[in-house]
């Protein structure tokens, strides 16, 4: 194993890419601890302690910011605005013909989509930074703690500008990693964010609940990791045969290949979708008054939709993950287009007629393999929550779950970390194999 690690640094080109990627990640982690202007650092410490205790919306958002949100750092928004913008552009590609044309134009169309994704990212970051500036001043999300005591127009402008610029800088850094480093830049930044929160979570569990609880959580994490690797690598291969054809004096075709349909075709996107939808009521409840109907709604949201260990939360969360898995899979893989592409290239699936029959066959296979994939990612997202509820309890007010509720997001962290690690190692392996070095994956 050590020899395989050393192989990565024996190739100058690959070594430079890895070192450049590590440098960008180090800069990102440094920016996660530099506070924004006009922020009360004492109040930030109180907010961080409260977020570690109760989780909720802060726990989810800080997962993708690597703790930068609870620091109110310059990278407080993390890469979430870019993720949201990318998802929106993919969805719009189904309903807007122009974007659909760009998706079919190859590299030229992809550049246009990337450019509009950047614009949309900046717009979303502007809205989110403005919202967080007002919410953190009012204390609606953080128990009445005012992070911006000097709440003037200039202070709000500087904070919003800082957080938006931080997101734009992160987006640029991610693209630099993709172009000059190794792996997908945006995915690696998310990977760095979620991995950076794991040691603090495990330390909090050990401090509050002892060695037995820590060993239990680590054991579950190891089992989940093995299952995630098994499912992420799983795929259904649809054989495709290309008929022979003569062009001039040459014969083309006659080859056999396959269409790889992954069991988890949608990745972690359904979890992000479901979490975002579930936290909309939390934001609405935070803005409602304490008395009357508003108070009733606010109490229901606080009791059932802000705690990852609540049965109501877990039921709706799991249901939406499964629904969004089917929805996103339908967006990313269109059986009609795939069947038409196979027909135009002179291919066919053995035993299936080209055209409508191929379309129905692909749709049926896709529907069958999406169900176990959706159930799996729902289980990965919910098992840590169930474990926390059973072993630690749900009594947040008494401090019983202090420091452990963010472990309810441990399944999301593992799914992202394992998925990004596998994709990055595949790229490193391909570089090693091209130069006749032994790779990591077999």
């Amino acid at each position: 194993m050590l020899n395989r690690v050393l192989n990565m640094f024996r190739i100058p080109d690959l070594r430079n890419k890895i070192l450049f990627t590590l440098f960008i990640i180090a800069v990102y982690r440094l920016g996660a601890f530099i506070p924004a202007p006009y922020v009360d650092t004492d109040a930030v410490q109180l907010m961080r302690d409260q977020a570690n205790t109760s989780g909720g919306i802060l726990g989810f958002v800080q997962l993708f910011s690597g703790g930068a949100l609870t620091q109110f750092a310059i990278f407080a928004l993390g890469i979430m605005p870019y993720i949201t913008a990318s998802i929106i552009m993919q969805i719009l590609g189904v309903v807007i013909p122009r974007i659909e044309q760009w998706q079919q134009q190859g590299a030229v169309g992809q550049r246009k989509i990337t450019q509009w994704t950047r614009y949309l990212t900046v717009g979303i970051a502007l809205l989110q930074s403005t919202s967080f500036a007002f919410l953190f001043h009012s204390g609606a999300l953080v128990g009445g703690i005012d992070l911006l005591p000097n709440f003037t127009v200039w202070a709000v402008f500087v904070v919003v500008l800082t957080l938006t610029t931080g997101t734009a800088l992160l987006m640029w850094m991610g693209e630099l990693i993709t172009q000059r480093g190794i792996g997908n830049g945006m995915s690696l930044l998310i990977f760095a964010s979620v991995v950076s929160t794991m040691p603090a979570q495990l330390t909090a569990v050990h401090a509050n609940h002892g060695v037995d609880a820590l060993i239990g959580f680590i054991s579950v994490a190891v089992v989940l990791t093995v299952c995630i690797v098994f499912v992420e690598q799983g795929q259904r291969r649809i054989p495709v045969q290309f008929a022979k054809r003569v062009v001039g004096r040459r014969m083309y075709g006659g080859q056999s290949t396959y269409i790889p349909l992954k069991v988890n075709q949608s990745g972690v996107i359904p979890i992000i979708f479901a979490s975002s939808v579930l936290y909309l009521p939390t934001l609405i409840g935070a803005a409602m008054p304490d008395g009357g109907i508003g108070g009733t709604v606010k109490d229901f949201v606080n009791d059932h939709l802000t705690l990852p260990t609540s049965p109501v939360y877990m039921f709706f969360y799991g249901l939406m993950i499964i629904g969004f898995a089917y929805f996103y899979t339908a967006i990313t893989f269109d059986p009609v287009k795939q069947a038409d592409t196979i027909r135009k290239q002179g291919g066919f699936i053995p035993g299936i007629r080209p055209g409508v029959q191929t379309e129905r066959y692909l749709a049926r296979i896709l529907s069958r393999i999406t169900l176990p994939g959706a159930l799996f990612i729902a289980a990965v997202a919910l098992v840590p929550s169930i474990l926390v509820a059973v072993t630690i309890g749900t009594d947040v007010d008494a401090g019983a779950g202090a420091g452990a509720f963010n472990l309810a997001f441990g399944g999301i962290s593992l799914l992202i970390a394992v998925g990004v690690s596998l994709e990055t190692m595949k790229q490193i392996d391909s570089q090693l194999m091209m130069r006749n070095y032994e790779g990591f994956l077999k």
Side-chain angles (χ1 to χ4, degrees), residues 204-216:
V205 171
H206 177 265
N208 290 280
H209 305 284
V211 179
D212 293 338
L214 179 62
I215 294 175

Side-chain angles (χ1 to χ4, degrees), residues 189-385:
L189 291 180
I190 298 173
F191 171 83
S193 299
V194 299
V195 170
S196 65
T197 61
M198 290 182 179
Q201 294 171 0
L202 294 176
T203 302
V205 171
H206 177 265
N208 290 280
H209 305 284
V211 179
D212 293 338
L214 179 62
I215 294 175
F217 281 115
I218 293 177
S219 302
V220 172
V222 171
V223 173
L224 283 178
T225 301
V226 173
C227 295
I228 290 170
V229 172
F230 181 76
V231 174
E232 284 293 318
Q233 297 289 84
Q235 56 182 223
R236 170 73 182 271
R237 297 181 176 182
I238 308 296
V240 178
Q241 182 75 33
F242 289 94
K244 294 181 180 180
R245 53 196 177 96
V246 178
V247 179
R249 294 184 178 181
R250 293 188 177 183
M251 181 176 293
Y252 295 90
Q255 299 176 348
S256 296
T257 183
Y258 61 86
I259 303 172
L261 295 181
K262 292 183 64 177
V263 175
N264 183 18
Q265 189 85 7
S266 56
V268 75
I269 298 299
I271 294 179
I272 298 175
F273 269 30
S275 301
S276 302
V277 171
L278 268 183
Y279 287 128
L280 285 177
T282 305
L283 293 175
I284 296 173
M288 286 189 171
D290 293 331
I293 298 177
T296 304
V297 174
K298 189 173 184 178
D299 292 340
F300 177 82
V301 170
N302 291 335
D303 293 340
H304 299 288
L305 297 181
T306 60
L307 301 180
T309 55
S310 168
V312 176
Y313 176 94
M314 287 190 282
F315 173 76
F316 284 107
Y317 192 32
L319 196 64
M320 283 193 291
I321 288 175
I322 295 173
F324 281 126
Y326 275 94
F327 172 73
Y328 192 75
T329 300
I331 291 177
T332 55
F333 186 91
D334 188 356
V336 178
K337 291 182 180 178
Q338 190 66 42
D340 188 54
T341 302
I342 294 174
R343 182 183 59 81
K344 289 180 179 179
Q345 293 177 352
F348 62 94
I349 298 174
I352 307 295
R353 289 175 178 242
V356 178
Q357 296 294 333
T358 300
E359 172 195 333
R360 293 176 180 173
Y361 177 77
L362 291 175
R364 184 171 68 253
I365 295 297
L366 188 65
S367 177
R368 290 173 59 186
I369 67 172
T370 299
L371 180 59
L375 292 175
F376 171 76
I377 59 175
V380 168
L382 293 178
V383 163
S385 299

Side-chain angles (χ1 to χ4, degrees), residues 30 167 309 374:
L30 177 64
T167 298
T309 55

Side-chain angles (χ1 to χ4, degrees), residues 380-421:
V380 168
L382 293 178
V383 163
S385 299
I386 297 172
L387 184 63
V388 170
V390 172
T391 59
I392 297 176
T394 59
D395 188 7
V396 182
D397 295 333
F405 274 90
N406 283 334
L407 278 172
F409 301 121
I412 306 175
S413 303
L414 285 175
L415 192 60
I416 294 173
V418 173
V420 174
S421 299

Side-chain angles (χ1 to χ4, degrees), residues 82 85-86 89 99 102-103 106-122 171 175 178-179 186:
Y82 182 84
S86 300
M89 290 298 294
I99 298 179
W102 291 347
Q103 292 175 344
V108 176
Q110 189 59 44
R111 282 198 296 268
K112 295 179 181 178
I113 293 175
T114 301
Q115 190 66 24
W116 278 99
T117 304
R118 293 170 184 161
Y119 296 148
L120 188 58
T121 299
V122 173
M171 182 170 55
E175 292 178 355
T178 304
Q179 294 171 2
M186 301 303 175

